[in-house]
Amino acid sequence: MKSPNRSISPNKKQRSAIQHPPSPLMIIAGAGTGKTFTIENRITYLIQHFKVDPQHILAITYTEKAAKELQNRIVERIGSSGHTMTVSTFHSLCFKILQDFHNKNINLLEESEAIHLFIQKFDELEPFQSDEFPLDPHRAITESFIPFFNRMRDELIEPEFLSVPKHSTDNPITEEISNQLSDLKRIFPIFQSWKKNINVIDYGDMILSAYNILHTDKSILKKVQNQYRHIIVDEFQDNNFALNEIVSMISGKRKYVTVVGDDDQVIYSFRGASSYNIKAFQHRYGSHKDYISISLKDNYRSSQAILNLANDSISNNSERVDKDLVSALNIPEFKPIRYWGNNTEQLNFLINEIKQTSDEGSYFKEIAVLCRTHGQVSNVTNALRYAGIPVATRYMSLLHCSAVREIMSWCQVVSNGTFQDSAMFRIIKTKFGYELAHNIFKNYNRNDRRSRLDLINDDRSIQNKYPQINEILQSISKLKSIIQKRSASEMVWEITEHLGMLKKSAREYSLDDHYILLNVGEFLKRSQDFSKRNKQDNSIFAFNHFLEVIARSSGLPSITPPEYREQDAVFVNTVHGAKGAEYPIVFLPFLRSASFPLNFRTSKRINRPPEEWLRYKNVLSNITPKEHHINEERRLFYVAVTRAKKKLYLLTPEKATSPFIKELSDNLMEDQQMNDKESSTRTHSELKIKYEHNLQKAIAREDYVLASNLGLALKIIHDHERNNFIELGNSDWEEELATELKANFEPNIPEKINLSASAIDTYESCPLKFRLGRIDGIPQTAKKPELIFGNIVHSVLQRFHEPDKPLTKERILRILDEEWKKGEFDYSVREEKFKEQGQDILTRYHSNLPDPPHNVIRREKEFAFDIESVTIRGAIDRIDLVEDGINIIDYKTSKTTSSAKSNLQLAIYSMYLEQLDDTDIGGLPALSSLYFLREDEKPLKSHAFTEEQIINTRDKILNVADKIREKNFDAKTGKHCDWCDYKNLVCPAWEN
């Protein structure tokens, strides 16, 4: 909750907490109960009433931003002496202890650099007991190694002294997880030695080192205790074992500790942590004569109607401090509104309600739409902007900044990077427009593995037809000629100078220009740091590899420029991104089962120490991991609900309704219908959306000259879209607008469309990905280990079933050796593991052969057939003759199984054979089967398609073809983006 006006008197509970004498104090502060107000006033009271010297106060917050805000408020209250307080995050505190008492010149290894270090040295970590780790080194590092090692330092665990728990069928430790733990226990000291050799520590080391210093050196501990005599810990429920131990040591005999938190708002926890924190504090300080625990329940944010729903929901959670929030506000009460509808209907309802709310006098900035996932945020953002509703600017990571991506594209092309083809497309498009980039790339076969730069360089006809491309080719050639003589930082600077973007941004200096300057500067600094840190190989090739690795992980933080006034725009974000915020009106869409709450999934890779390794295992929760997941999801729902001050909307489907809606009492909500259920039309073009968004940012920046020009530009765009006469001058903004008004090229879609099952799946998962790959002709990265492995196994089985050849184990393994693509897997450990799995898969396949063997009558049967003006192409892995007809076999090397009935590929195969005039294989198959080669038992999943299902498949194909002809190529974001080749350089959905 934002701090109430300081002239407001605290309530009884707040006053008790504020005026409590220096001694152990636990404040359980419910949502909106004035936690920040209470902390601020308690610190002020300690200073003014108990005469505590500010320099002896240590306040630990969860984020650097919260630390800065708290310190500024204290300075406003007591003056400049407030600057002598220490207000910091826990990591910053540990860093300060190390600098003050151990080593002033600490070299920090950031997480991005740690990931890169592991990637570089991954082959040195063999032999692995785990099957998962070597198959996907990047995920092993980012989803297991880094979080696991960080958590060990958070929990003060020294793995060398611990035993790996034995696996069994009745606990979460499977054989694979046990093997992963053995690998992690072995790898941890190797990682520590790597850092020692290059004289760096990471953030986890800071915690462990600070603890060890305080624990082993009594003289240092005494100095720290004398420095920090009064300790306040915010967001206590989310903190870890190390913080508890270090705070306990620093507090010493004084025990002047105040902790503030709410167990109902734990949304970053691990199993049992919040419960432990509260119990441990009570156990450690409960015997102190002045110890007290205070629960703040008076809410200064929301109406009672909203709080009634929040209380009802969170009461379903187990193992929580029992408390019901009570509104302390005298405001009109509106029951939370429940709207029933599918996703499209929810978006239309959202648009209509926001427009109506605005018409009734509310500002857009008073409205928030909170979603469970980032993909949902993108969908809502796009829908609102197309409807002409302003949405607040949300800056993504550094590598999503458009200017940084321009530099990265040149880095990729000049050093032959993994994504050089996407980069080349972007470079041409940026310089000369989408039409030229499309026209050049569509000339080449998308399956041609040569780089597009090499193809264009060797293609005189293209150079003659589009002579402007020679300017780019010459620039690339010039940069390539100096690449061996320059470090990464020097090459990045050369490229930045060549692009000239900093001069333009410095001259115009809009909010976006400021963003560009800040983040290009940060990118240049990153390249300099890389060159200094990697003196043995600081080339642009190495830096490019570093960027590719980081782009696949969480990225690097961007720098956001300040706004001088708040944008009047709807706030759309995830619930996690809204913690601590509050809005008069809140919408919660997509409240669907498996969407909110998300489904519980057991991870293939362990990312935290097992309970047997924890020091507080005896006080851990007894609930199952699945129950813990649901509890945490419900806490997230509770946080979302308690962001609302006056109005709350819950949008949910009638089928697959979220259990969080089902468990609520109906009398807590009011159902509302939408008058118009028609799909909302796009009232705004992409160009109009862009200029309206720029206008919001110009006003927020108080750049009224730019705002005036953008207003004129919007009038011109409006007239242009209605074919009215327009006239443009020669100012910078008018020339830029003239270029953009011409940039309405759309690729030509032939009347005859070629599709396959994989192409249709691609379109349905993301229409933009389909366009980029199938229409624009941008190749995807060729080296995908899983695909390479799958192709090898398919080739082996095709050859194995050649007519009149012996079906022996020796022969199938010999063919595997002959088909193996050595050196195509990037890491030797990965290649060894894939080869081992290939041998296991094919040995199992051979052992499952029946006697007599299958009557295989076709192998790799290629086909093409027409459905109206659509040509469907593909290849059937195998066709067997069985007793009552034929059986289609499609091999699968994936680790997860799926239904044959819902498989589009099998349906298309059946459709082809149904209309085929062939006495051997024509007609509807008796069976269509997926053969999951990794499955020990029942590897076959079969289905007999009916005529009705074939007709439905035909309609689905024609529907996709119609959308392609309509040029519906919007980006669709989601989990699939994580492994999309186009995400990092050419997808606008992932770009600022």
Side-chain angles (χ1 to χ4, degrees):
M1 175 182 176
K2 294 177 182 177
S3 295
N5 187 294
R6 292 184 181 89
S7 63
I8 295 176
S9 298
N11 64 37
K12 185 177 178 181
K13 292 280 190 180
Q14 288 174 335
R15 183 176 288 106
S16 295
I18 290 166
Q19 297 180 357
H20 186 68
S23 56
L25 168 65
M26 176 182 286
I27 305 172
I28 305 295
T33 56
K35 176 193 73 168
T36 304
F37 171 79
T38 304
I39 292 174
E40 174 189 335
N41 280 277
R42 173 152 177 76
I43 292 172
T44 304
Y45 196 83
L46 286 172
I47 295 168
Q48 294 179 340
H49 182 80
F50 290 107
K51 307 305 178 186
V52 172
D53 191 330
Q55 68 175 326
H56 293 317
I57 295 176
L58 166 65
I60 300 174
T61 61
Y62 202 67
T63 66
E64 298 286 358
K65 180 183 177 185
K68 186 175 181 180
E69 289 174 352
L70 177 58
Q71 184 132 37
N72 288 341
R73 282 194 293 269
I74 298 300
V75 169
E76 286 177 20
R77 297 287 296 275
I78 68 168
S80 59
S81 64
H83 288 298
T84 64
M85 282 176 50
T86 299
V87 187
S88 73
T89 64
F90 181 46
H91 281 95
S92 296
L93 169 66
C94 293
F95 185 60
K96 183 173 178 5
I97 290 171
L98 290 184
Q99 282 194 312
D100 289 348
F101 301 106
H102 180 62
N103 181 3
K104 287 191 179 295
N105 300 311
I106 298 173
N107 294 313
L108 269 177
L109 184 78
E110 291 190 348
E111 185 171 298
S112 60
E113 295 171 308
I115 293 169
H116 185 238
L117 181 64
F118 268 119
I119 286 288
Q120 284 182 307
K121 294 174 171 284
F122 196 80
D123 279 335
E124 297 178 22
L125 298 176
E126 63 177 338
F128 286 95
Q129 293 186 44
S130 162
D131 288 331
E132 289 291 335
F133 286 168
L135 289 177
D136 195 334
H138 190 275
R139 285 197 168 184
I141 294 162
T142 57
E143 295 179 13
S144 187
F145 293 11
I146 300 294
F148 190 93
F149 295 156
N150 284 343
R151 181 64 77 189
M152 286 205 301
R153 271 80 62 88
D154 287 346
E155 307 308 317
L156 304 177
I157 293 171
E158 298 178 82
E160 59 267 34
F161 302 116
L162 297 168
S163 300
V164 174
K166 289 185 168 31
H167 62 272
S168 68
T169 55
D170 59 351
N171 71 34
I173 306 294
T174 63
E175 182 177 4
E176 169 60 22
I177 294 298
S178 180
N179 288 338
Q180 289 181 21
L181 283 169
S182 296
D183 287 333
L184 290 166
K185 180 179 176 180
R186 176 180 58 83
I187 291 168
F188 181 67
I190 297 174
F191 178 44
Q192 296 300 94
S193 68
W194 287 348
K195 289 181 289 184
K196 187 176 180 181
N197 290 340
I198 57 175
N199 193 30
V200 296
I201 65 170
D202 62 18
Y203 289 98
D205 294 328
M206 288 194 304
I207 291 174
L208 191 58
S209 298
Y211 171 80
N212 287 334
I213 288 171
L214 297 176
H215 186 65
T216 57
D217 193 320
K218 300 304 178 187
S219 62
I220 292 177
L221 176 60
K222 189 169 184 179
K223 290 177 183 176
V224 174
Q225 287 173 335
N226 286 333
Q227 173 68 48
Y228 306 126
R229 301 178 189 182
H230 299 265
I231 305 170
I232 294 93
V233 182
D234 192 11
E235 304 288 3
F236 181 65
Q237 75 282 347
D238 285 327
N239 286 304
N240 52 53
F241 183 79
L243 180 139
N244 289 320
E245 295 301 301
I246 288 177
V247 166
S248 175
M249 283 193 289
I250 296 175
S251 69
K253 294 179 180 178
R254 293 190 186 94
K255 295 182 168 51
Y256 296 165
V257 184
T258 298
V259 297
V260 189
D262 180 11
D263 58 328
D264 287 334
Q265 296 189 74
V266 179
I267 58 174
Y268 297 103
S269 81
F270 58 103
R271 191 172 171 220
S274 60
S275 174
Y276 167 76
N277 285 340
I278 292 170
K279 290 175 184 174
F281 191 86
Q282 292 170 333
H283 176 75
R284 182 168 276 151
Y285 301 104
S287 60
H288 192 283
K289 65 182 179 65
D290 290 324
Y291 168 81
I292 190 172
S293 176
I294 297 173
S295 289
L296 305 182
K297 299 178 183 180
D298 288 346
N299 178 284
Y300 294 91
R301 176 186 298 155
S302 308
S303 70
Q304 191 60 51
I306 291 171
L307 295 181
N308 287 342
L309 187 141
N311 292 332
D312 192 52
S313 175
I314 201 64
S315 67
N316 291 285
N317 266 13
S318 57
E319 301 183 334
R320 57 180 287 268
V321 177
D322 188 29
K323 54 188 174 298
D324 279 346
L325 298 179
V326 178
S327 179
L329 303 175
N330 184 20
I331 59 175
E333 288 196 27
F334 301 93
K335 274 189 178 182
I337 293 167
R338 178 173 57 186
Y339 171 74
W340 302 96
N342 61 33
N343 284 4
T344 301
E345 291 167 339
Q346 288 182 38
L347 288 173
N348 292 335
F349 176 81
L350 191 61
I351 290 166
N352 290 345
E353 283 295 311
I354 290 175
K355 285 183 173 179
Q356 183 176 333
T357 301
S358 173
D359 292 342
E360 292 171 355
S362 292
Y363 291 105
F364 287 119
K365 65 184 178 183
E366 295 178 324
I367 302 169
V369 184
L370 306 182
C371 305
R372 179 63 186 86
T373 67
H374 289 288
Q376 293 169 352
V377 169
S378 295
N379 292 338
V380 170
T381 298
N382 291 337
L384 295 186
R385 284 181 173 163
Y386 278 129
I389 295 172
V391 177
T393 303
R394 229 172 100 262
Y395 290 110
M396 292 182 277
S397 77
L398 177 68
L399 301 189
H400 291 137
C401 171
S402 60
V404 170
R405 287 188 170 203
E406 290 300 325
I407 301 170
M408 286 172 60
S409 294
W410 283 86
C411 291
Q412 280 281 316
V413 169
V414 300
S415 64
N416 306 321
T418 302
F419 303 105
Q420 58 178 310
D421 292 328
S422 292
M424 189 66 185
F425 187 90
R426 182 190 181 99
I427 289 170
I428 298 171
K429 181 184 174 186
T430 301
K431 183 75 175 175
F432 299 114
Y434 171 42
E435 183 175 1
L436 184 67
H438 170 82
N439 287 338
I440 289 175
F441 267 62
K442 75 175 184 180
N443 282 276
Y444 305 111
N445 185 333
R446 65 188 183 87
N447 295 317
D448 192 328
R449 294 183 64 173
R450 288 178 293 171
S451 76
R452 293 308 177 256
L453 174 61
D454 288 344
L455 290 173
I456 295 168
N457 268 326
D458 294 341
D459 193 340
R460 283 289 171 197
S461 63
I462 284 291
Q463 294 175 36
N464 292 333
K465 187 175 182 179
Y466 307 108
Q468 58 267 58
I469 195 69
N470 289 302
E471 181 183 339
I472 291 174
L473 297 178
Q474 289 167 10
S475 295
I476 293 171
S477 177
K478 180 181 176 182
L479 289 166
K480 278 179 172 285
S481 69
I482 62 172
I483 205 167
Q484 301 296 341
K485 305 171 186 175
R486 302 284 196 277
S487 67
S489 60
E490 290 169 332
M491 280 303 301
V492 170
W493 179 252
E494 291 272 359
I495 290 168
T496 306
E497 273 200 315
H498 170 73
L499 295 175
M501 61 178 64
L502 297 183
K503 291 179 182 177
K504 179 178 180 295
S505 292
R507 183 176 69 251
E508 298 183 359
Y509 208 60
S510 67
L511 185 67
D512 283 345
D513 289 313
H514 193 180
Y515 176 75
I516 286 169
L517 290 168
L518 288 171
N519 287 283
V520 168
E522 176 68 10
F523 188 73
L524 289 166
K525 180 181 179 298
R526 295 274 179 178
S527 69
Q528 291 169 354
D529 292 343
F530 179 88
S531 295
K532 291 174 184 175
R533 184 69 58 82
N534 299 274
K535 294 188 184 299
Q536 293 184 337
D537 185 6
N538 61 9
S539 67
I540 190 65
F541 301 97
F543 183 59
N544 233 354
H545 185 244
F546 168 74
L547 293 177
E548 290 169 10
V549 168
I550 301 313
R552 282 194 60 193
S553 56
S554 57
L556 299 165
S558 62
I559 304 173
T560 303
E563 296 176 352
Y564 304 143
R565 55 186 291 178
E566 188 180 1
Q567 294 182 44
D568 184 25
V570 177
F571 177 83
V572 184
N573 208 334
T574 62
V575 184
H576 282 97
K579 188 177 181 187
E582 57 184 40
Y583 298 89
I585 303 163
V586 170
F587 290 84
L588 303 182
F590 314 126
L591 295 174
R592 177 187 179 90
S593 178
S595 178
F596 201 165
L598 294 176
N599 279 338
F600 172 72
R601 289 187 176 89
T602 54
S603 176
K604 293 179 180 178
R605 288 164 282 273
I606 190 167
N607 60 8
R608 61 187 61 162
E611 290 183 5
E612 290 86 344
W613 286 11
L614 300 176
R615 301 208 187 179
Y616 48 93
K617 53 180 176 278
N618 293 330
V619 295
L620 278 173
S621 164
N622 291 319
I623 62 175
T624 67
K626 184 175 182 179
E627 289 169 330
H628 167 70
H629 168 78
I630 294 297
N631 279 358
E632 179 129 339
E633 289 284 302
R634 190 179 286 107
R635 288 193 293 267
L636 195 60
F637 178 70
Y638 172 83
V639 166
V641 167
T642 53
R643 300 311 95 193
K645 297 167 73 174
K646 296 179 181 178
K647 286 189 176 181
L648 173 68
Y649 292 81
L650 306 169
L651 282 53
T652 185
E654 293 187 54
K655 294 183 179 179
T657 308
S658 167
F660 296 160
I661 298 297
K662 287 181 178 179
E663 67 192 14
L664 293 171
S665 173
D666 285 338
N667 63 21
L668 294 173
M669 299 166 285
E670 179 181 306
D671 286 340
Q672 181 172 321
Q673 302 299 317
M674 183 171 66
N675 295 328
D676 180 13
K677 286 198 174 183
E678 294 296 318
S679 296
S680 58
T681 56
R682 290 185 175 184
T683 60
H684 284 48
S685 64
E686 293 278 2
L687 189 58
K688 188 178 282 186
I689 291 167
K690 174 182 175 181
Y691 272 74
E692 285 185 343
H693 193 47
N694 287 343
L695 177 59
Q696 294 168 36
K697 290 186 283 190
I699 294 171
R701 187 77 166 181
E702 297 184 352
D703 187 342
Y704 298 115
V705 173
L706 177 60
S708 174
N709 291 338
L710 289 167
L712 293 172
L714 279 165
K715 174 66 168 63
I716 292 168
I717 293 169
H718 180 81
D719 289 339
H720 175 75
E721 291 177 351
R722 282 156 180 73
N723 296 317
N724 296 334
F725 173 75
I726 62 170
E727 187 172 0
L728 287 166
N730 57 4
S731 66
D732 286 350
W733 73 264
E734 288 170 300
E735 288 183 352
E736 186 174 341
L737 177 58
T739 302
E740 293 194 283
L741 289 173
K742 292 177 183 177
N744 58 355
F745 168 78
E746 290 186 334
N748 180 52
I749 307 298
E751 182 58 31
K752 194 79 168 178
I753 296 177
N754 288 290
L755 290 175
S756 63
S758 63
I760 294 167
D761 284 339
T762 297
Y763 183 87
E764 291 195 313
S765 68
C766 180
L768 178 63
K769 182 177 181 179
F770 177 91
R771 194 208 81 192
L772 293 170
R774 308 269 175 166
I775 295 175
D776 293 329
I778 306 174
Q780 296 192 66
T781 306
K783 290 178 71 174
K784 285 190 167 62
E786 295 81 6
L787 293 179
I788 293 169
F789 178 70
N791 290 335
I792 290 171
V793 172
H794 277 69
S795 297
V796 170
L797 292 173
Q798 182 189 0
R799 285 181 57 189
F800 181 65
H801 285 290
E802 288 174 350
D804 305 321
K805 294 290 179 70
L807 302 178
T808 63
K809 175 182 172 182
E810 292 72 24
R811 178 169 168 266
I812 200 170
L813 294 179
R814 186 182 73 248
I815 297 173
L816 175 65
D817 289 337
E818 292 168 358
E819 291 290 332
W820 195 254
K821 299 187 183 302
K822 189 170 179 56
E824 292 287 308
F825 294 87
D826 294 329
Y827 304 92
S828 62
V829 291
R830 178 155 66 186
E831 181 168 342
E832 289 168 11
K833 184 58 69 174
F834 268 120
K835 184 70 176 287
E836 178 187 308
Q837 291 198 354
Q839 292 166 342
D840 290 343
I841 284 171
L842 295 173
T843 299
R844 184 185 307 114
Y845 179 84
H846 177 268
S847 68
N848 287 333
L849 289 175
D851 187 17
H854 300 293
N855 188 359
V856 179
I857 58 175
R858 295 288 191 280
R859 298 168 298 109
E860 200 67 20
K861 167 63 178 173
E862 295 185 352
F863 65 84
F865 68 102
D866 292 337
I867 305 173
E868 295 183 7
S869 57
V870 179
T871 299
I872 303 294
R873 301 181 185 276
I876 304 173
D877 288 345
R878 196 177 101 197
I879 302 175
D880 291 359
L881 185 63
V882 293
E883 188 174 338
D884 49 354
I886 63 168
N887 183 13
I888 297 169
I889 306 289
D890 191 60
Y891 300 124
K892 295 294 180 186
T893 55
S894 58
K895 294 180 180 178
T896 55
T897 62
S898 56
S899 163
K901 181 179 179 180
S902 60
N903 187 270
L904 177 64
Q905 211 165 18
L906 290 182
I908 287 175
Y909 294 166
S910 298
M911 183 187 302
Y912 162 66
L913 294 176
E914 181 203 30
Q915 53 84 55
L916 183 65
D917 185 16
D918 185 316
T919 55
D920 291 335
I921 60 174
L924 200 59
L927 283 177
S928 299
S929 303
L930 299 174
Y931 196 123
F932 291 96
L933 295 161
R934 294 180 185 270
E935 284 294 297
D936 287 321
E937 299 178 6
K938 297 182 180 179
L940 277 175
K941 307 288 183 186
S942 301
H943 177 69
F945 285 91
T946 64
E947 293 285 352
E948 183 182 359
Q949 289 170 332
I950 296 298
I951 291 170
N952 290 339
T953 302
R954 181 180 184 277
D955 291 344
K956 179 178 183 177
I957 292 169
L958 292 176
N959 181 48
V960 168
D962 287 343
K963 290 179 180 177
I964 292 169
R965 289 194 184 91
E966 292 164 5
K967 300 179 182 177
N968 183 350
F969 297 123
D970 292 339
K972 189 185 292 184
T973 58
K975 190 65 180 172
H976 57 274
C977 296
D978 290 349
W979 50 85
C980 178
D981 286 339
Y982 304 128
K983 173 183 176 181
N984 295 316
L985 291 179
V986 291
C987 179
W990 292 97
E991 185 164 329
N992 291 320

